[in-house]
Amino acid sequence: MKNNMADKTLRLILGDQLHYNHSWYTTTDNAITYVMMEIRTETDYATHHIQKIVGFFASMRMFSDWLRAQKHNVVYLKLDDKNNLQSFEANLDAIITHNNITHFEYQLPDEYRVDVILKDFSSRLSITSSVADTEHFFSTRNELGTFFDGKKIFLMESFYRAMRKKHNMLMEGNNPSTGQWNYDADNRKKLPKTHKPIAPLVFDTNVAAIVDMILQTDIKTIGTIDKAHFVWPVTRTQSLALLDFFVWECLPFFGSYQDAMMPNEWSLYHSRLSFSLNTKMITPLEVIERAIAAWQKRPEIIKYNQLEGFVRQIIGWREYMRGIYWLKMPEYAALNFFNHKEKLPNWFWTGKTKMNCLKDAITQSLTFAYAHHIQRLMITGNFALLAGIHPDEVDAWYLGIYIDAIDWVEITNTRGMSQFADGGIVGTKPYVSSSSYIDKMSHYCGNCFYNKAKKVGEKACPFNSLYWNFYDRHEDKLSKNPRIGMMYNVWRKMKPEDKKALLDQADYYLKHIDTL
């Protein structure tokens, strides 16, 4: 695009729009200026993990350096710059006025909150404005809504198959290349005790300047950081290195062990690409293409179930959650199907609990700003749901503690999949379990203070009584759900004295939740 010399365009790049191959950057134009900003409205809307704030700021600074190296005009406002007015609107107004900007452009935000801000800002401008696509996702914002138009059930599997067909991923014509769409049943193995997972690829970026800047403010953060050795990718080159490490070293085991959990093993065979993907340093298309290419080169080592499980997470679950978000927001953020009201236990912020599974998952989250999906769903999320924690509390914790947590993907997974606060829009049943599932998929229970086999009495595993208490409390809302009717049959057949003992045990634990 070439502008007249009198015309000046300002283009805003958000912190999760670091798309190195976006069409915006294919040509340079002196009449176009790009603006990026580190602002308090973004650091303060939730209490973030310090690694999350640092990860975004470091990645943004690297991206702005790259833009300048490509000869683009860039205005970059650091958090402590004296002329930083600490909000999108105030900074944009000042830059537009100071530089005599005649046209404003931005890319579609992924967060509803920011979308509203930028729509309102553009609507009151006296200059022209336009919006561009981020050129990142497989589907549009509204595609899922159109796909399920008129339907009451939004089945992810249906959308996943449609995405596979549309983008010709692992397909032969209109059929899946192996004759089978989904290999989830093959992907639920526990890690053998003697199995030592591969050491994760981590990076070694010095982010001391950013950490010191944050510590000199009153920004409230959680978690810890090694400022001399930041482990997360902050450039496209690092992101691609992590992708290559995953497809060659981890993908051969990913599918089988994607639900497995082991103490002191924070990465296992997971890709840990979500931060790079959610900031758009890499695209879902290139992620899937590299995984398929690795499988095609080594089909005897990378079995098909390992590949399909990964592809389903990217083109299926990720796109599905984004579609639900744009279909159901802003009302979705207030849904509370069970009317849960309790606060998170204080040990969610410290990891100091006697329950091994929760201690490990929370401590890991505080240390690395990361936990894999089963730790989030079936450990921390499971406990929060059983304990009747208010979804707002759970949302705030997940949004803050994880480096990959951006509202569009966090709230649908947390309020929907994890807490069933949406009443079944995302999940067909609440994902709750007693100790039996945790023991089946992990090695947490063996050395725990609590006894996994005990339902009541001293040192009885809290998950066991809380599990039955949850079903008892919500029988009116759940008893007709066909996927959990069997559990109510078991509950109804229990002796009255056994039921009472379970409910009394659960009541005791809930009243003393901060000491568990």
Side-chain angles (χ1 to χ4, degrees):
M1 183 182 78
K2 281 286 179 185
N3 291 348
N4 297 323
M5 290 304 293
D7 292 333
K8 291 184 178 181
T9 294
L10 182 68
R11 287 175 168 174
L12 171 66
I13 304 170
L14 301 176
D16 62 348
Q17 294 178 343
L18 313 181
H19 190 341
Y20 285 74
N21 291 322
H22 193 279
S23 61
W24 267 5
Y25 317 124
T26 53
T27 58
T28 58
D29 188 335
N30 284 332
I32 297 174
T33 299
Y34 294 93
V35 59
M36 302 177 71
M37 57 185 83
E38 304 166 1
I39 49 178
R40 290 297 298 262
T41 51
E42 295 305 291
T43 60
D44 296 2
Y45 73 87
T47 303
H48 299 289
H49 199 296
I50 189 166
Q51 290 185 40
K52 183 180 182 186
I53 298 176
V54 170
F56 271 91
F57 285 2
S59 302
M60 289 165 65
R61 292 182 183 189
M62 293 290 193
F63 188 76
S64 69
D65 289 345
W66 175 82
L67 284 175
R68 290 190 181 100
Q70 306 303 308
K71 309 301 182 185
H72 295 290
N73 299 323
V74 181
V75 172
Y76 191 97
L77 293 172
K78 294 182 178 179
L79 190 73
D80 59 353
D81 284 349
K82 290 181 180 179
N83 60 336
N84 188 339
L85 302 175
Q86 302 299 338
S87 77
F88 290 123
E89 307 97 301
N91 281 330
L92 290 171
D93 272 332
I95 294 168
I96 287 170
T97 300
H98 183 264
N99 293 281
N100 297 313
I101 299 296
T102 59
H103 182 70
F104 171 64
E105 294 181 352
Y106 65 97
Q107 294 176 27
L108 284 171
D110 289 327
E111 291 193 62
Y112 185 87
R113 170 183 63 89
V114 180
D115 195 55
V116 170
I117 289 171
L118 294 180
K119 277 181 179 176
D120 289 348
F121 173 77
S122 299
S123 69
R124 65 172 178 77
L125 283 175
S126 58
I127 61 173
T128 58
S129 63
S130 59
V131 186
D133 193 82
T134 59
E135 302 173 8
H136 176 80
F137 293 96
F138 284 110
S139 57
T140 66
R141 279 183 178 180
N142 303 320
E143 195 164 340
L144 179 137
T146 302
F147 180 78
F148 287 113
D149 187 36
K151 304 281 179 60
K152 291 184 178 180
I153 297 174
F154 307 98
L155 194 64
M156 193 283 288
E157 182 70 18
S158 301
F159 192 66
Y160 165 53
R161 294 181 184 187
M163 287 291 100
R164 287 261 301 269
K165 289 179 181 178
K166 176 184 175 183
H167 296 282
N168 195 30
M169 291 291 180
L170 303 178
M171 298 294 295
E172 290 182 8
N174 275 330
N175 299 311
S177 54
T178 62
Q180 183 176 329
W181 285 102
N182 187 312
Y183 285 75
D184 191 45
D186 297 329
N187 295 347
R188 300 171 186 170
K189 293 180 181 177
K190 182 175 183 173
L191 278 166
K193 268 191 176 180
T194 56
H195 183 98
K196 179 63 179 172
I198 190 169
L201 172 67
V202 295
F203 299 94
D204 198 28
T205 306
N206 189 312
V207 291
I210 298 175
V211 174
D212 292 344
M213 177 189 71
I214 292 169
L215 294 178
Q216 289 167 9
T217 71
D218 59 351
I219 294 172
K220 185 181 178 184
T221 64
I222 55 177
T224 58
I225 190 170
D226 181 347
K227 62 184 181 182
H229 307 282
F230 189 62
V231 300
W232 291 96
V234 295
T235 65
R236 174 167 170 80
T237 300
Q238 289 180 337
S239 299
L240 290 172
L242 187 59
L243 172 57
D244 283 340
F245 175 81
F246 170 71
V247 300
W248 291 107
E249 304 294 339
C250 301
L251 187 55
F253 301 97
F254 169 77
S256 298
Y257 298 129
Q258 65 175 303
D259 289 0
M261 297 171 283
M262 182 174 278
N264 304 313
E265 295 287 351
W266 71 282
S267 183
L268 298 173
Y269 295 105
H270 292 271
S271 73
R272 293 180 291 110
L273 290 167
S274 48
F275 176 67
S276 294
L277 275 166
N278 292 352
T279 53
K280 302 181 184 58
M281 290 189 285
I282 53 175
T283 69
L285 177 61
E286 64 190 335
V287 166
I288 289 179
E289 285 181 340
R290 288 206 186 196
I292 292 174
W295 165 69
Q296 287 172 336
K297 288 180 181 177
R298 301 192 300 166
E300 72 287 352
I301 295 174
I302 303 173
K303 302 302 182 186
Y304 189 81
N305 69 294
Q306 319 289 359
L307 174 70
E308 187 278 324
F310 180 68
V311 169
R312 182 165 12 102
Q313 284 196 357
I314 303 297
I315 200 172
W317 196 246
R318 189 170 184 265
E319 298 288 326
Y320 171 80
M321 285 303 201
R322 176 173 177 261
I324 291 289
Y325 181 82
W326 286 107
L327 178 65
K328 296 296 183 179
M329 283 293 283
E331 295 79 12
Y332 197 88
L335 296 177
N336 188 356
F337 179 69
F338 294 121
N339 196 30
H340 282 170
K341 297 178 179 178
E342 301 303 319
K343 287 191 169 294
L344 276 175
N346 54 30
W347 41 260
F348 258 73
W349 306 99
T350 66
K352 294 179 180 177
T353 169
K354 296 187 287 290
M355 290 175 280
N356 259 5
C357 57
L358 282 154
K359 177 172 63 179
D360 191 78
I362 293 170
T363 301
Q364 172 188 309
S365 301
L366 291 166
T367 304
F368 295 104
Y370 174 81
H372 73 67
H373 66 282
I374 293 298
Q375 290 176 306
R376 301 188 200 194
L377 178 66
M378 298 308 299
I379 304 296
T380 50
N382 183 13
F383 185 88
L385 181 52
L386 293 178
I389 308 301
H390 197 296
D392 287 355
E393 290 263 312
V394 189
D395 266 341
W397 187 80
Y398 279 100
L399 183 62
I401 202 166
Y402 292 122
I403 193 167
D404 57 11
I406 301 175
D407 193 61
W408 68 270
V409 70
E410 179 278 321
I411 199 169
T412 44
N413 273 286
T414 300
R415 197 170 286 256
M417 185 70 171
S418 173
Q419 299 303 294
F420 204 74
D422 64 2
I425 294 172
V426 166
T428 53
K429 67 171 184 176
Y431 279 85
V432 293
S433 80
S434 64
S435 64
S436 59
Y437 174 85
I438 297 170
D439 188 43
K440 177 184 175 184
M441 295 308 303
S442 79
H443 296 283
Y444 291 138
C445 300
N447 299 317
C448 189
F449 171 86
Y450 295 101
N451 187 335
K452 66 183 181 183
K454 291 187 70 173
K455 295 181 174 61
V456 297
E458 187 179 1
K459 294 188 177 181
C461 176
F463 279 92
N464 292 334
S465 56
L466 293 178
Y467 176 77
W468 290 112
N469 179 67
F470 170 82
Y471 277 129
D472 180 70
R473 275 186 298 140
H474 299 302
E475 186 169 3
D476 59 327
K477 292 186 174 181
L478 295 176
S479 61
K480 293 181 180 178
N481 185 313
R483 293 200 65 192
I484 51 179
M486 184 173 65
M487 303 316 299
Y488 280 105
N489 290 336
V490 174
W491 178 241
R492 290 168 188 141
K493 289 176 182 177
M494 282 189 197
K495 295 177 181 178
E497 58 268 31
D498 292 339
K499 283 185 176 182
K500 183 177 185 305
L502 282 165
L503 297 178
D504 287 348
Q505 183 74 63
D507 184 61
Y508 176 83
Y509 279 150
L510 290 172
K511 286 178 177 175
H512 298 85
I513 196 167
D514 282 327
T515 65
L516 292 180

